[in-house]
Amino acid sequence: MAGYQFIRVESYARVGSRQKRSATKTKAARVEAKWSASDIAAEADRQPGACDHVEAPRPPTYHLGGPVSSVVAEAETWATTQRDPRGRKLRSDSPVMLAGVVSLPSDRLADWPAYREAAIAWLRAKYGDRLRCVVEHLDEKHPHLHFYAVPLPGESFDRLHEGRQAAAQAKATGALKGDQNAAYRQAMQLFQDGFAQAVAEPHGLARIGPGRSRMSRQEWKTLQAAAERVATLQRSAEALPGVIEH
Protein backbone atom coordinates (compact mmCIF):
# COMPACT_ATOMS: atom_id res chain seq x y z
CA MET A 1 0.00 0.00 0.00
CA ALA A 2 1.13 3.58 -0.68
CA GLY A 3 2.72 5.69 2.01
CA TYR A 4 5.68 7.81 2.96
CA GLN A 5 7.58 8.44 6.15
CA PHE A 6 6.65 11.03 8.73
CA ILE A 7 8.99 12.11 11.51
CA ARG A 8 9.25 15.57 12.98
CA VAL A 9 11.00 17.19 15.95
CA GLU A 10 10.32 20.44 17.80
CA SER A 11 11.90 22.15 20.78
CA TYR A 12 9.89 23.41 23.75
CA ALA A 13 10.59 25.81 26.60
CA ARG A 14 9.35 26.12 30.15
CA VAL A 15 7.14 29.01 29.04
CA GLY A 16 5.43 29.18 25.66
CA SER A 17 6.56 32.09 23.52
CA ARG A 18 4.41 34.39 21.39
CA GLN A 19 5.51 34.76 17.79
CA LYS A 20 4.30 37.40 15.37
CA ARG A 21 3.49 36.12 11.90
CA SER A 22 3.92 38.66 9.13
CA ALA A 23 1.03 39.57 6.89
CA THR A 24 0.75 37.96 3.45
CA LYS A 25 -1.43 38.71 0.44
CA THR A 26 -4.14 36.44 1.79
CA LYS A 27 -3.66 36.59 5.58
CA ALA A 28 -3.41 39.45 8.04
CA ALA A 29 -0.56 39.67 10.55
CA ARG A 30 -1.24 37.67 13.69
CA VAL A 31 0.36 36.62 16.95
CA GLU A 32 0.59 32.88 17.62
CA ALA A 33 1.32 31.31 20.99
CA LYS A 34 3.71 28.38 21.02
CA TRP A 35 2.95 25.60 23.46
CA SER A 36 5.18 25.15 26.47
CA ALA A 37 6.76 21.85 27.47
CA SER A 38 4.03 21.42 30.10
CA ASP A 39 1.30 21.98 27.50
CA ILE A 40 2.81 19.28 25.29
CA ALA A 41 3.06 16.89 28.24
CA ALA A 42 -0.57 17.38 29.22
CA GLU A 43 -1.74 16.58 25.69
CA ALA A 44 0.48 13.52 25.38
CA ASP A 45 -0.54 12.18 28.79
CA ARG A 46 -4.20 12.69 27.76
CA GLN A 47 -4.92 14.88 30.75
CA PRO A 48 -8.54 16.14 30.91
CA GLY A 49 -9.03 19.35 28.97
CA ALA A 50 -5.68 19.06 27.17
CA CYS A 51 -6.73 16.88 24.24
CA ASP A 52 -10.05 18.35 23.07
CA HIS A 53 -9.03 17.72 19.45
CA VAL A 54 -9.30 13.96 20.07
CA GLU A 55 -12.87 12.76 19.68
CA ALA A 56 -12.56 9.78 22.02
CA PRO A 57 -9.30 9.97 24.03
CA ARG A 58 -7.79 6.68 25.15
CA PRO A 59 -5.07 6.12 27.75
CA PRO A 60 -1.62 6.35 26.14
CA THR A 61 0.81 3.43 26.10
CA TYR A 62 4.30 4.23 27.43
CA HIS A 63 7.05 2.21 25.75
CA LEU A 64 9.79 4.06 27.64
CA GLY A 65 9.49 6.17 30.76
CA GLY A 66 6.34 8.13 31.46
CA PRO A 67 4.35 10.07 32.14
CA VAL A 68 5.57 12.90 29.94
CA SER A 69 5.02 15.36 32.78
CA SER A 70 7.95 13.67 34.56
CA VAL A 71 10.17 14.47 31.56
CA VAL A 72 9.21 18.13 31.86
CA ALA A 73 10.33 18.05 35.49
CA GLU A 74 13.69 16.62 34.40
CA ALA A 75 14.01 19.27 31.70
CA GLU A 76 13.27 22.05 34.18
CA THR A 77 15.88 20.66 36.57
CA TRP A 78 18.42 20.55 33.73
CA ALA A 79 17.63 24.17 32.89
CA THR A 80 18.42 25.37 36.41
CA THR A 81 22.00 24.09 36.05
CA GLN A 82 22.64 25.65 32.62
CA ARG A 83 24.05 28.98 31.57
CA ASP A 84 23.92 30.71 28.21
CA PRO A 85 27.13 31.57 26.29
CA ARG A 86 27.41 34.77 28.34
CA GLY A 87 27.20 32.91 31.63
CA ARG A 88 23.64 33.98 32.43
CA LYS A 89 20.80 31.77 33.61
CA LEU A 90 18.66 30.38 30.81
CA ARG A 91 15.65 32.46 29.86
CA SER A 92 12.29 30.89 30.58
CA ASP A 93 11.58 30.72 26.84
CA SER A 94 14.85 28.92 26.04
CA PRO A 95 14.35 25.34 24.75
CA VAL A 96 14.66 22.63 27.40
CA MET A 97 12.94 19.58 25.90
CA LEU A 98 13.02 17.97 22.46
CA ALA A 99 9.72 16.46 21.36
CA GLY A 100 9.11 14.47 18.21
CA VAL A 101 6.48 12.39 16.49
CA VAL A 102 6.66 9.32 14.23
CA SER A 103 3.52 8.18 12.44
CA LEU A 104 2.37 5.68 9.84
CA PRO A 105 -0.46 6.03 7.31
CA SER A 106 -3.71 4.57 8.63
CA ASP A 107 -3.97 2.18 5.69
CA ARG A 108 -0.77 0.49 6.95
CA LEU A 109 -2.16 -0.25 10.42
CA ALA A 110 -1.24 -3.95 10.17
CA ASP A 111 2.41 -2.92 9.78
CA TRP A 112 2.35 -0.60 12.77
CA PRO A 113 3.71 -2.98 15.47
CA ALA A 114 6.86 -3.80 13.48
CA TYR A 115 7.29 -0.20 12.35
CA ARG A 116 6.84 1.04 15.91
CA GLU A 117 9.53 -1.29 17.26
CA ALA A 118 11.95 -0.32 14.49
CA ALA A 119 11.35 3.37 15.20
CA ILE A 120 11.88 2.92 18.95
CA ALA A 121 15.14 1.04 18.34
CA TRP A 122 16.33 3.89 16.10
CA LEU A 123 15.41 6.48 18.71
CA ARG A 124 17.23 4.57 21.45
CA ALA A 125 20.37 4.29 19.31
CA LYS A 126 20.24 7.95 18.32
CA TYR A 127 19.54 9.63 21.66
CA GLY A 128 20.79 7.07 24.18
CA ASP A 129 20.19 8.13 27.79
CA ARG A 130 18.85 11.46 26.58
CA LEU A 131 15.70 9.70 25.38
CA ARG A 132 13.42 9.88 28.39
CA CYS A 133 9.97 8.86 27.15
CA VAL A 134 8.25 7.22 24.18
CA VAL A 135 4.45 7.18 24.20
CA GLU A 136 2.03 5.61 21.72
CA HIS A 137 -1.36 7.03 20.69
CA LEU A 138 -3.92 5.00 18.78
CA ASP A 139 -6.90 7.31 19.26
CA GLU A 140 -6.27 9.65 16.32
CA LYS A 141 -6.41 9.23 12.54
CA HIS A 142 -2.93 7.74 12.16
CA PRO A 143 -1.09 5.50 14.64
CA HIS A 144 1.88 7.40 16.05
CA LEU A 145 4.58 7.71 18.67
CA HIS A 146 5.64 10.80 20.54
CA PHE A 147 9.18 10.85 21.89
CA TYR A 148 10.89 13.21 24.33
CA ALA A 149 14.54 13.87 25.07
CA VAL A 150 16.45 16.03 27.55
CA PRO A 151 20.16 16.96 27.44
CA LEU A 152 22.49 15.28 29.88
CA PRO A 153 23.89 17.42 32.73
CA GLY A 154 26.34 19.96 31.40
CA GLU A 155 25.28 19.56 27.77
CA SER A 156 23.88 22.30 25.58
CA PHE A 157 20.37 21.83 24.24
CA ASP A 158 21.81 21.99 20.73
CA ARG A 159 23.33 18.56 21.35
CA LEU A 160 19.81 17.15 20.87
CA HIS A 161 18.88 19.10 17.77
CA GLU A 162 21.02 18.72 14.65
CA GLY A 163 19.60 21.79 12.96
CA ARG A 164 20.25 24.12 15.88
CA GLN A 165 23.72 22.63 16.37
CA ALA A 166 24.65 23.10 12.71
CA ALA A 167 23.37 26.69 12.70
CA ALA A 168 25.29 27.48 15.88
CA GLN A 169 28.48 26.03 14.44
CA ALA A 170 28.04 28.07 11.26
CA LYS A 171 27.47 31.22 13.33
CA ALA A 172 30.63 30.53 15.34
CA THR A 173 32.64 30.60 12.11
CA GLY A 174 31.23 33.99 11.18
CA ALA A 175 28.69 32.74 8.64
CA LEU A 176 25.87 35.10 7.68
CA LYS A 177 22.28 34.40 8.70
CA GLY A 178 21.40 32.94 5.31
CA ASP A 179 24.27 30.46 5.55
CA GLN A 180 23.26 29.57 9.10
CA ASN A 181 19.75 28.80 7.87
CA ALA A 182 21.16 26.71 5.04
CA ALA A 183 23.26 24.72 7.53
CA TYR A 184 20.13 24.17 9.62
CA ARG A 185 18.13 22.87 6.65
CA GLN A 186 20.91 20.56 5.49
CA ALA A 187 21.29 19.07 8.97
CA MET A 188 17.57 18.40 9.23
CA GLN A 189 17.55 16.78 5.80
CA LEU A 190 20.30 14.43 7.01
CA PHE A 191 18.17 13.68 10.08
CA GLN A 192 15.27 12.71 7.80
CA ASP A 193 17.60 10.67 5.57
CA GLY A 194 18.91 8.71 8.54
CA PHE A 195 15.41 7.74 9.64
CA ALA A 196 14.45 6.85 6.08
CA GLN A 197 17.37 4.50 5.56
CA ALA A 198 17.05 2.74 8.92
CA VAL A 199 13.28 2.59 9.42
CA ALA A 200 11.04 3.85 6.62
CA GLU A 201 12.61 2.32 3.52
CA PRO A 202 12.89 -1.23 4.97
CA HIS A 203 9.11 -1.00 5.53
CA GLY A 204 8.40 0.12 1.99
CA LEU A 205 7.83 3.81 2.64
CA ALA A 206 9.05 6.51 0.29
CA ARG A 207 11.28 9.27 1.70
CA ILE A 208 8.84 12.08 0.81
CA GLY A 209 5.35 12.45 -0.62
CA PRO A 210 4.38 13.57 -4.15
CA GLY A 211 3.72 17.18 -3.17
CA ARG A 212 7.11 17.79 -1.57
CA SER A 213 8.98 16.02 -4.36
CA ARG A 214 7.12 17.91 -7.15
CA MET A 215 6.39 14.57 -8.85
CA SER A 216 3.16 13.76 -10.59
CA ARG A 217 0.91 11.41 -8.66
CA GLN A 218 1.70 8.59 -11.09
CA GLU A 219 5.47 9.16 -10.84
CA TRP A 220 5.23 9.04 -7.05
CA LYS A 221 3.15 5.84 -7.16
CA THR A 222 5.85 4.26 -9.34
CA LEU A 223 8.55 5.30 -6.85
CA GLN A 224 6.46 4.01 -3.95
CA ALA A 225 5.89 0.65 -5.65
CA ALA A 226 9.64 0.33 -6.17
CA ALA A 227 10.28 1.10 -2.50
CA GLU A 228 7.79 -1.58 -1.47
CA ARG A 229 9.42 -4.16 -3.77
CA VAL A 230 12.86 -3.39 -2.32
CA ALA A 231 11.50 -3.77 1.18
CA THR A 232 9.89 -7.10 0.29
CA LEU A 233 13.13 -8.38 -1.22
CA GLN A 234 15.06 -7.31 1.89
CA ARG A 235 12.66 -9.15 4.16
CA SER A 236 12.85 -12.25 1.95
CA ALA A 237 16.64 -12.19 2.02
CA GLU A 238 16.67 -11.88 5.79
CA ALA A 239 14.40 -14.91 6.05
CA LEU A 240 16.75 -17.15 4.03
CA PRO A 241 18.83 -19.65 6.03
CA GLY A 242 22.44 -18.68 6.51
CA VAL A 243 25.15 -20.11 4.30
CA ILE A 244 27.22 -22.84 5.99
CA GLU A 245 30.92 -22.44 5.29
CA HIS A 246 33.10 -25.56 4.99
Side-chain angles (χ1 to χ4, degrees):
M1 297 181 184
Y4 56 95
Q5 76 170 29
F6 183 89
I7 182 171
R8 182 182 68 201
V9 291
E10 297 282 352
S11 56
Y12 291 92
R14 289 168 285 179
V15 175
S17 61
R18 298 182 67 82
Q19 300 174 334
K20 184 176 181 180
R21 300 297 183 183
S22 301
T24 66
K25 291 183 179 179
T26 58
K27 296 182 179 180
R30 64 192 188 279
V31 175
E32 295 181 349
K34 183 175 181 179
W35 284 19
S36 69
S38 294
D39 294 332
I40 290 296
E43 190 274 337
D45 289 334
R46 293 299 190 248
Q47 294 180 14
C51 51
D52 294 340
H53 64 289
V54 182
E55 185 175 340
R58 293 163 53 184
T61 300
Y62 299 100
H63 291 274
L64 174 69
V68 184
S69 57
S70 66
V71 182
V72 176
E74 290 184 40
E76 291 176 342
T77 297
W78 168 83
T80 63
T81 68
Q82 288 299 112
R83 295 291 184 271
D84 69 13
R86 295 183 180 180
R88 300 170 301 187
K89 291 182 179 181
L90 292 187
R91 292 164 47 108
S92 61
D93 59 356
S94 296
V96 298
M97 183 178 77
L98 184 81
V101 61
V102 174
S103 71
L104 191 68
S106 56
D107 61 6
R108 298 284 299 271
L109 188 59
D111 299 324
W112 174 243
Y115 192 77
R116 177 190 65 210
E117 296 309 309
I120 292 174
W122 186 82
L123 293 170
R124 286 179 179 273
K126 180 172 184 57
Y127 295 108
D129 291 342
R130 301 170 186 85
L131 183 66
R132 307 307 298 158
C133 183
V134 178
V135 58
E136 177 184 22
H137 289 155
L138 297 177
D139 53 7
E140 297 183 66
K141 183 177 180 180
H142 303 290
H144 61 273
L145 296 172
H146 291 281
F147 59 92
Y148 304 89
V150 177
L152 297 177
E155 286 185 339
S156 164
F157 181 83
D158 292 351
R159 173 63 179 76
L160 288 178
H161 195 294
E162 286 93 333
R164 293 177 60 93
Q165 187 175 52
Q169 290 172 345
K171 182 179 180 179
T173 65
L176 298 177
K177 188 63 175 179
D179 292 329
Q180 294 173 35
N181 291 339
Y184 181 102
R185 290 193 297 271
Q186 182 179 28
M188 296 315 294
Q189 288 173 359
L190 291 174
F191 169 83
Q192 293 276 345
D193 290 344
F195 183 82
Q197 294 169 7
V199 181
E201 291 173 0
H203 286 83
L205 297 180
R207 164 70 170 78
I208 54 178
R212 292 289 301 277
S213 62
R214 299 184 183 275
M215 295 181 183
S216 69
R217 187 71 183 177
Q218 187 55 50
E219 289 173 332
W220 182 75
K221 284 184 177 180
T222 299
L223 174 64
Q224 179 62 49
E228 292 173 4
R229 287 196 297 272
V230 170
T232 300
L233 289 172
Q234 288 178 336
R235 288 193 293 269
S236 298
E238 291 169 358
L240 292 174
V243 177
I244 300 176
E245 297 181 355
H246 298 284

